[in-house]
């Protein structure tokens, strides 16, 4: 059975952010992840998060790079022409958080398509930004990832299929980058999550949620029992992030 990490940005939303660590521990998780650990999103300071991780004896295994002005519609900056300086300016803050929290890997959101479709210009900006960021993170002892997100939940997201993300990844001039595979997002884009063997060597982290509703496995149509067996068969040793809102009580540990 894979190792599961609670995504405390989506799970336990009935509790303030800083109280969700204790809920994750109570439910049997040994690790957590979050989307954005920054106070603008969590209402918690870096010191408060570090203290709670230590108090609950939890490991934080993932968070995202700074996504831009989220409340104004940004969904990442890496593929956004004209905003390269902003992307680079915020990386130092992301590194500070990751190092203080002991987070080994960081996910980069590409941003939105311009004119409704991917373009060679945005590809070039994305590849250049990722090449630069991968080098900076490697120097800091951290790993970089990119993620494809479905365009139903996030209309216009630039990377929205596995193959598209892999093609970008292969053009980045670094070996310090991998693919964050979100089974929920790829299922929503019509991909078969049981057909990932060919790309498994490029996957650095996995996330899950069921469909419909983006709730825990077993509440919808996605074949997660077979998916978890497949991960065992493929000897996947990374974490699986539970990035869903809770509908029923999940128990992965019985």
């Amino acid at each position: 059975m894979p190792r599961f990490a609670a995504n405390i940005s989506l799970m336990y939303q009935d509790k303030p952010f800083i109280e969700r660590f204790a809920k994750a521990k109570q439910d049997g998780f040994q690790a957590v992840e979050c989307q954005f650990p920054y106070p603008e999103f969590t209402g918690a300071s870096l010191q408060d998060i570090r203290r709670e991780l230590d108090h609950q004896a939890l490991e934080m295994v993932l968070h995202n790079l700074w996504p831009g002005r989220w409340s104004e519609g940004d969904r990442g900056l890496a593929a956004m022409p004209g905003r390269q300086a902003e992307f680079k300016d915020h990386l130092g803050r992301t590194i500070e958080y990751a190092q203080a929290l002991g987070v080994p890997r960081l996910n980069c959101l590409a941003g939105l398509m311009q004119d409704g479709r991917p373009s060679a210009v945005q590809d070039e900006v994305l590849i250049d930004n990722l090449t630069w960021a991968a080098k900076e993170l490697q120097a800091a002892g951290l790993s970089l990832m990119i993620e494809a997100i479905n365009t139903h939940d996030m209309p216009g997201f630039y990377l929205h299929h596995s193959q598209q993300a892999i093609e970008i990844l292969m053009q980045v001039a670094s070996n310090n980058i991998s693919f964050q595979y979100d089974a929920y997002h790829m299922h929503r884009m019509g991909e078969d999550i049981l057909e990932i063997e060919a790309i498994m060597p490029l996957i650095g982290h996995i996330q899950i949620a069921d469909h419909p509703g983006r709730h825990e496995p077993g509440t919808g149509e996605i074949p997660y029992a077979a998916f978890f067996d497949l991960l065992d068969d493929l000897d996947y040793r990374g974490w699986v992030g539970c990035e869903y809102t809770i509908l029923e009580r999940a128990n992965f540990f019985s």
Side-chain angles (χ1 to χ4, degrees):
M1 179 65 71
R3 299 182 298 167
F4 295 98
N7 186 296
I8 55 172
S9 294
L10 289 192
M11 297 179 73
Y12 316 118
Q13 291 188 52
D14 59 323
K15 300 289 185 182
F17 182 84
I18 205 65
E19 295 179 16
R20 298 175 193 176
F21 295 88
K23 291 293 293 181
K25 187 70 172 185
Q26 178 182 334
D27 281 348
F29 290 99
Q30 299 302 310
V32 297
E33 61 177 33
C34 74
Q35 294 172 342
F36 310 110
Y38 318 107
E40 298 90 329
F41 295 89
T42 67
S45 70
L46 175 59
Q47 294 74 21
D48 287 341
I49 296 173
R50 176 71 267 176
R51 188 179 304 113
E52 193 62 18
L53 284 171
D54 292 341
H55 181 65
Q56 301 298 336
L58 288 168
E59 177 183 359
M60 185 176 285
V61 298
L62 169 79
H63 68 71
N64 292 338
L65 272 63
W66 178 255
R69 298 184 289 272
W70 192 270
S71 64
E72 299 176 24
D74 286 341
R75 293 297 181 265
L77 300 175
M80 307 308 293
R83 302 185 69 178
Q84 293 94 320
E86 187 178 353
F87 174 80
K88 292 180 178 181
D89 285 346
H90 283 285
L91 190 67
R93 187 187 188 202
T94 299
I95 290 173
E96 175 190 0
Y97 266 73
Q99 291 180 328
L101 299 176
V103 177
R105 60 190 63 80
L106 298 167
N107 182 45
C108 177
L109 299 183
L112 303 178
M113 292 179 278
Q114 296 184 328
D115 302 322
R117 57 190 174 86
S119 71
V121 171
Q122 285 194 266
D123 278 358
E124 182 178 357
V125 170
L126 180 57
I127 292 164
D128 286 348
N129 277 334
L130 292 174
T131 297
W132 176 83
K135 181 179 179 181
E136 293 294 309
L137 292 184
Q138 189 165 37
L142 304 168
S143 298
L144 179 65
M145 295 185 299
I146 56 173
E147 177 183 15
I149 296 177
N150 82 77
T151 53
H152 305 284
D153 290 1
M154 195 172 288
F157 194 75
Y158 193 75
L159 296 178
H160 47 271
H161 282 292
S162 294
Q163 190 56 43
Q164 179 197 14
I166 294 299
E167 289 173 0
I168 291 292
L169 188 154
M170 298 303 291
Q171 296 180 71
V172 174
S174 174
N175 61 2
N176 187 41
I177 187 168
S178 59
F179 183 34
Q180 177 176 293
Y181 182 84
D182 191 306
Y184 165 77
H185 287 308
M186 295 303 89
H187 173 83
R188 291 224 65 191
M189 294 304 295
E191 297 186 19
D192 185 348
I193 70 166
L194 301 181
E195 296 293 333
I196 62 168
E197 182 173 1
I199 65 172
M200 181 57 76
L202 300 174
I203 293 176
H205 189 74
I206 289 172
Q207 292 178 325
I208 57 170
D210 218 330
H211 179 261
R214 201 172 184 178
H215 302 304
E216 62 267 30
T219 61
E221 66 193 17
I222 302 180
Y224 275 116
F227 183 69
F228 297 150
D229 286 343
L230 176 62
L231 295 185
D232 286 341
D233 291 343
L234 296 177
D235 198 29
Y236 175 70
R237 300 189 181 186
W239 289 94
V240 174
C242 300
E243 194 183 32
Y244 52 69
T245 58
I246 297 173
L247 181 63
E248 300 172 357
R249 267 298 185 209
N251 186 359
F252 297 113
F253 312 102
S254 60

